[in-house]
């Protein structure tokens, strides 16, 4: 079974399912697992830890499948040489999120890689198209981790209309099962990018306790804000904030963000100590609003298989749209 | 072919589309037009007296042979707090001055009455096929009476918890209202706006949590959106914003203009217009006093002191103090007769679904 779209053709993949380049979670192991299953694994380049990037790309050296590498653009801009490290690994695509892609686009294209740009507004989509993006990812506020305020149902059709068929548009935010993939295909998207669903997979480089909490969380247990970022001394440019599970630490500082900023030294010392101890009552777990749809930690290949099978049955009308009671 | 016929069969409709009840923006005219197109028309009764509601339903019954939905608010009424009211009026004092209004002149209190025995008698008499509620459900004895009159009961859930509560308390159909939706958030078990999921994340989780049919609401305004909602497991959609600019709505000219100019980024959730969180195109009040203000008196009393300002500004063709309730799909609103719009929405969805099946 497979769902062919302009995205699958462009990336040379079997299934229109992309792994979000989650910093420290989407390592080489998860990338390989997703790509081996017919999806497209994108390595988390994150804020730009050179050692980690070199270690993880080295693990992909003998990998013959397709894969990408993703960066947080504004952070990578501080150490642009990291892009060379990434390109040396011969990825099929580089994914840039959160910042102007234009300064990096020529090098990416020259190296023969596709440029994937994640956007949260029409203006950002225009900027990405002008920079020569080959694929746009329209990310809704439902997404776990960093993003902005517009919802998936709002931003996806808006970006699709703007792209007007020039490049494939991938939907991100709130998608964790085949219903989500089918719904996004109905909106005209060419595929989906998922983070939280793959966080709760065997191969994700996350703590077992974090994965357990994702499985236990219900809809409404996430919130978008700045508390976890500020607590670890990371200050994102507007309009980006992070969606996380609501834990004791987030509850404690909600509505007291100014006070947190004033005491950021003490708070971050506490935060890092808690993180080192694996205390997720304090340490952040990035997760999206689809968290209530996630109840297990299977191998990534099984996730891809389930989603594609369910979506295909829905799209072909072979299965009633109503979930089995 | 619709992939899920539960709502069609339950409501005996041509299309699984519910025209959202939009209090203040519509009356029987829009209900009739949408029903003629094959949708379920919803009459917003929250700002009507029992007598007026009866009159409106009678008009609908005379003009169209179709199921009718009467919609009511069921908030717990809170008495106006004179101290908060005075503080609110003071907060708005500069605007009173600007428009040459006397802040000490008596004002009519904002009129959003919850469903009560008097409304229930009208329901029992008129027997609308559907009765929908916003802000939860009325007391169990009233719900029982509505059901005994043969009406299907619907209400909105903004979280999975609310959906489960509604099913347990007698709702026959649940409207999953995502954060994109225009107008008042139906929230009743939570007050936290930051934790209100988007339609896309909410619908499948509600579908998994309850057995009754689920209607998706919020951000849906074209065939693609309807097809997507069905893929997520919805049995139907509720659409409001797309109908606001239909000729049959009661939206006044300056509001039509504001809606026509709005973009996806124009809407915000505010509490300053009525005291409860609601999404609308940002007007001057929302920008300068809100969008969220701790000073706003409890629902619906925040609207009271805005009344004279709204009237004065509207006379000048301005919408500074007018509710511009609309959802995130506001840019997709169309100036088209409502019956035609309904058929276009349904046709677009069916075309999309059959196109994908090939």
């Amino acid at each position: 079974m497979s769902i062919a779209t302009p995205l699958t053709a462009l990336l040379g993949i079997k299934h229109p399912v992309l792994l979000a380049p989650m910093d420290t979670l989407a390592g080489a192991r998860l990338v390989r697992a997703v790509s081996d299953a017919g999806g497209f694994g994108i390595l988390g380049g994150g804020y730009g830890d050179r050692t980690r990037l070199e270690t993880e790309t080295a693990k992909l050296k003998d990998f013959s499948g397709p894969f990408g590498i993703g960066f947080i653009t504004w952070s990578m801009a501080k150490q642009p040489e990291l892009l060379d490290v990434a390109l040396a690994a011969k990825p099929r695509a580089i994914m840039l999120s959160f910042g102007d892609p234009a300064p990096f686009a020529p090098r990416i294209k020259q190296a023969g890689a596709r440029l994937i740009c994640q956007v949260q507004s029409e203006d950002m989509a225009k900027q990405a198209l002008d920079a020569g993006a080959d694929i746009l990812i329209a990310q809704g506020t439902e997404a776990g981790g960093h993003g902005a305020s517009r919802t998936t149902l709002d931003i996806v059709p808006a970006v699709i209309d703007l792209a007007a068929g020039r490049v494939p548009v991938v939907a991100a935010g709130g998608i964790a099962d085949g219903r989500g993939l089918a719904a996004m295909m109905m909106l005209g998207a060419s595929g989906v990018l998922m983070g939280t669903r793959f966080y709760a997979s065997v191969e994700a480089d996350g703590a077992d306790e974090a994965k357990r909490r994702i499985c236990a969380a219900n809809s409404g247990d996430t919130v978008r804000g700045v508390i976890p970022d500020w607590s670890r001394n990371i200050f994102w440019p507007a309009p980006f904030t992070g969606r996380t599970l609501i834990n004791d630490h987030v509850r404690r500082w909600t509505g007291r963000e100014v006070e947190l900023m004033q005491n950021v030294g003490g708070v971050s010392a506490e935060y890092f100590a808690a993180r080192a101890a694996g205390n997720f009552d304090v340490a952040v777990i990035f997760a999206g609003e689809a968290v209530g749809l996630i109840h297990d930690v299977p191998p990534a290949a099984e996730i891809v298989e389930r989603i594609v099978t369910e979506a295909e049955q829905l799209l072909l009308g072979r299965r009633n749209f109503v979930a089995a009671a | 072919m619709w992939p899920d016929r539960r709502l069609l069969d339950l409501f005996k409709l041509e299309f699984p589309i519910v025209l959202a009840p939009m209090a203040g923006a519509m009356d029987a005219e829009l209900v009739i037009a949408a029903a003629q197109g094959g949708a379920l028309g919803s009459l917003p009764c929250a700002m009507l007296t029992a007598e007026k509601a009866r009159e409106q339903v009678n008009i609908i019954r005379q003009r169209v042979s179709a199921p009718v939905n009467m919609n009511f608010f069921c908030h717990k009424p809170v008495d106006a707090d004179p101290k908060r009211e005075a503080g609110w009026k003071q907060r708005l004092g500069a605007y009173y001055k600007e428009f040459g209004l006397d802040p000490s002149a008596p004002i009519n209190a904002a009129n959003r009455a919850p469903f009560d025995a008097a409304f229930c008698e009208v329901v029992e008499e008129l027997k609308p096929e559907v009765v929908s509620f916003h802000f939860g459900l009325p007391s169990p004895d009233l719900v029982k009476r509505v059901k005994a009159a043969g009406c299907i009961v619907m209400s909105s859930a903004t979280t999975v918890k609310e959906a489960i509560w509604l099913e347990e308390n007698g709702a026959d159909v649940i409207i999953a209202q995502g954060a994109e939706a225009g107008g008042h958030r139906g929230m009743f078990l939570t007050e936290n706006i930051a934790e209100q999921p988007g339609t896309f994340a909410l619908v499948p989780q509600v579908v998994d949590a309850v057995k009754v049919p689920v209607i998706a609401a919020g951000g849906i305004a074209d065939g693609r959106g309807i097809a997507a909602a069905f893929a997520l497991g919805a049995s139907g959609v509720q659409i409001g914003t797309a109908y606001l600019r239909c000729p049959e709505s009661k939206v006044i000219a300056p509001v039509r203009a504001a809606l026509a100019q709005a973009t996806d980024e124009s809407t915000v959730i505010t509490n300053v217009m009525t005291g409860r969180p609601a999404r609308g195109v940002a007007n001057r009040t929302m920008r300068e006093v809100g969008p969220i203000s701790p000073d706003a008196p409890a629902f619906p009393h925040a609207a009271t002191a805005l009344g004279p300002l709204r009237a004065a500004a509207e006379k000048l063709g301005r919408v500074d103090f007018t509710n511009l309730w609309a959802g995130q799909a506001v840019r997709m609103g169309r100036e088209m007769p409502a019956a035609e719009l309904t058929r276009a929405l349904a046709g677009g969805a069916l075309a999309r679904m059959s196109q994908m099946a090939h």
Side-chain angles (χ1 to χ4, degrees):
Chain A
M1 283 203 197
S2 66
I3 298 171
T5 72
L7 175 79
T8 56
L10 190 63
L11 289 175
I13 53 177
K14 194 173 172 209
H15 302 308
V17 175
L18 275 50
L19 163 69
M22 299 175 285
D23 181 34
T24 74
L25 300 168
R29 191 172 165 225
L30 182 55
V31 167
R32 293 177 79 130
V34 172
S35 291
D36 274 338
F40 191 69
I42 307 179
L43 185 75
Y47 295 93
D49 175 341
R50 189 179 180 120
T51 313
R52 183 180 148 80
L53 187 62
E54 284 171 345
T55 313
E56 295 304 307
T57 50
K59 291 183 201 161
L60 290 166
K61 240 183 186 153
D62 63 341
F63 182 57
S64 58
F67 71 93
I69 300 176
F71 286 105
I72 296 165
T73 316
W74 64 264
S75 187
M76 191 263 279
K78 294 177 191 165
Q79 329 164 55
E81 69 279 6
L82 292 178
L83 183 56
D84 298 321
V85 176
L87 288 171
K90 303 255 176 273
R92 199 164 288 183
I94 293 285
M95 174 171 159
L96 298 180
S97 310
F98 317 117
D100 184 4
F104 312 104
R107 274 158 67 205
I108 294 167
K109 303 226 146 193
Q110 241 161 36
R114 299 289 185 184
L115 172 60
I116 304 177
C117 292
Q118 179 165 261
V119 300
Q120 292 82 16
S121 72
E122 285 97 329
D123 286 346
M124 292 183 213
K126 278 181 205 143
Q127 188 184 46
L129 287 172
D130 289 345
D134 299 298
I135 295 163
L136 291 181
I137 295 175
Q139 186 207 36
T141 191
E142 291 90 334
H146 290 90
S149 60
R150 305 258 302 270
T151 62
T152 302
L153 193 48
D154 173 17
I155 193 67
V156 171
V159 172
I160 287 170
D161 289 348
L162 189 100
R166 283 175 288 172
V167 300
V169 175
V170 175
I175 302 154
D177 62 18
R179 290 176 293 186
L181 172 56
M184 284 300 136
M185 304 283 297
M186 291 291 184
L187 285 183
S190 210
V192 295
L193 175 118
M194 299 190 300
T196 315
R197 177 58 275 193
F198 284 119
Y199 192 157
S201 70
V202 170
E203 296 90 347
D205 292 334
D208 288 344
E209 171 62 9
K211 295 177 186 179
R212 192 194 63 76
R213 286 187 185 220
I214 285 173
C215 294
N218 294 310
S219 158
D221 289 347
T222 72
V223 71
R224 190 165 272 295
V226 295
I227 293 165
D229 282 338
W230 290 5
S231 302
R232 48 191 194 135
N233 275 316
I234 296 176
F235 301 94
W236 275 68
F240 306 115
T241 53
R243 182 176 293 284
T244 67
L245 288 188
I246 298 168
N247 62 9
D248 289 348
H249 185 71
V250 169
R251 266 189 288 268
R252 179 178 160 207
W253 289 104
T254 296
R256 296 166 55 210
E257 286 83 353
V258 176
E259 197 185 329
L260 168 62
M261 182 62 102
Q262 285 160 349
N263 297 289
V264 73
V267 175
S268 61
E270 241 176 83
Y271 180 89
F272 290 127
R275 189 172 72 179
N279 175 5
F280 288 101
D281 290 334
V282 175
V284 66
I285 298 173
F286 285 107
E289 284 182 2
V291 72
L293 296 173
I294 299 167
H295 312 294
D296 58 358
V297 185
E302 196 180 317
I303 293 173
V304 173
E305 173 65 26
R306 271 192 220 166
I307 284 170
V308 171
T309 304
E310 185 183 21
E312 195 167 62
Q313 286 175 344
L314 289 171
L315 292 169
L316 293 177
R318 284 195 194 135
R319 199 189 95 175
N320 193 298
F321 276 26
V322 188
Chain B
M1 267 300 288
W2 297 99
D4 180 331
R5 292 197 51 89
R6 287 188 295 169
L7 205 68
L8 292 171
D9 296 341
L10 188 62
F11 290 167
K12 301 184 178 61
L13 284 172
E14 188 180 355
F15 300 130
I17 297 174
V18 179
L19 163 68
M22 300 180 283
M26 59 173 284
D27 64 7
E29 290 302 318
L30 190 61
V31 173
I32 292 162
Q36 284 169 340
L40 175 66
S42 306
L43 180 73
C45 300
M47 294 171 78
L48 304 180
T49 59
E51 295 70 38
K52 188 79 185 158
R54 177 186 292 114
E55 181 192 306
Q56 290 278 299
V57 172
N58 286 334
I59 293 171
I60 297 165
R61 293 293 197 205
Q62 281 162 20
R63 303 236 326 255
V64 65
S65 169
V68 175
N69 171 28
M70 289 179 81
N71 171 263
F72 300 93
F73 285 177
C74 54
H75 56 286
K76 283 202 179 56
V78 181
D79 285 337
D81 172 355
K83 218 170 123 189
R84 277 182 80 84
E85 298 271 312
W88 187 232
K89 222 168 185 184
Q90 200 175 358
R91 178 75 183 78
L92 302 172
Y95 302 118
Y96 271 75
K97 208 168 161 190
E98 182 185 326
F99 284 84
L101 295 169
D102 175 8
S104 59
I107 321 175
N108 290 332
N111 62 336
R112 286 162 185 87
F115 188 73
D116 59 8
F119 273 132
C120 197
E121 277 168 31
V122 176
V123 164
E124 287 166 328
E125 172 198 329
L126 299 172
K127 300 192 174 19
E129 288 73 8
V130 186
V131 172
S132 70
F133 295 102
H134 214 49
F135 313 131
L137 287 169
S139 63
D141 59 309
L142 288 176
V143 173
K144 215 168 147 186
R145 283 173 60 185
V146 171
K147 291 192 156 211
C151 311
I152 297 162
V153 171
M154 299 202 292
S155 185
S156 293
T158 66
T159 63
V160 171
K161 267 187 204 114
E162 288 179 348
I164 293 168
W165 187 95
L166 288 175
E167 183 175 53
E168 282 172 354
N169 287 276
D172 302 306
V173 175
I174 289 170
I175 301 161
Q177 188 196 33
E180 294 90 334
H184 285 100
R185 308 283 319 135
M187 55 210 291
F188 61 95
L189 295 180
T190 172
E191 293 183 350
N192 193 341
I193 306 165
E195 292 165 20
Q196 294 270 282
T199 302
F200 201 85
L202 181 65
V203 169
Q205 299 185 52
V206 169
V207 166
D208 287 348
V210 300
K211 291 193 178 69
V212 298
V214 174
I215 293 175
I220 300 166
D222 62 12
R224 295 180 288 189
I226 298 171
F230 273 85
L232 294 176
S235 307
V237 294
Q238 177 168 282
I239 297 179
T241 306
Y243 284 96
L244 278 172
R245 287 161 62 212
C246 291
E248 299 93 342
S249 85
K250 295 296 259 187
V251 173
I252 60 172
V255 175
R256 273 176 202 273
L259 293 171
Q261 286 155 17
T263 66
D264 309 45
E265 286 166 82
S266 304
T267 70
V268 287
I269 293 179
T270 184
N271 73 337
V272 298
M273 303 308 295
T274 64
R276 271 189 96 107
R279 181 180 292 280
V281 173
N283 62 15
R284 187 177 169 200
T285 319
M286 285 154 71
R287 277 193 302 268
E288 295 178 5
V289 185
I292 300 294
S293 168
D295 301 333
F299 180 84
H301 306 300
T304 301
L306 286 167
L309 290 166
R310 171 184 175 146
E314 282 182 0
K315 266 184 207 153
L316 303 172
R318 290 164 57 177
V319 293
D320 297 1
F321 309 97
T322 306
N323 298 334
L324 305 174
W325 296 152
Q328 279 189 357
V330 64
R331 81 182 164 106
M332 293 196 269
R334 280 180 273 180
E335 285 177 58
M336 181 189 281
E340 206 179 305
L341 174 59
T342 304
R343 287 189 283 263
L345 289 167
L350 288 169
R352 190 87 199 165
M353 290 192 273
S354 69
Q355 186 190 342
M356 295 305 294
H358 292 294

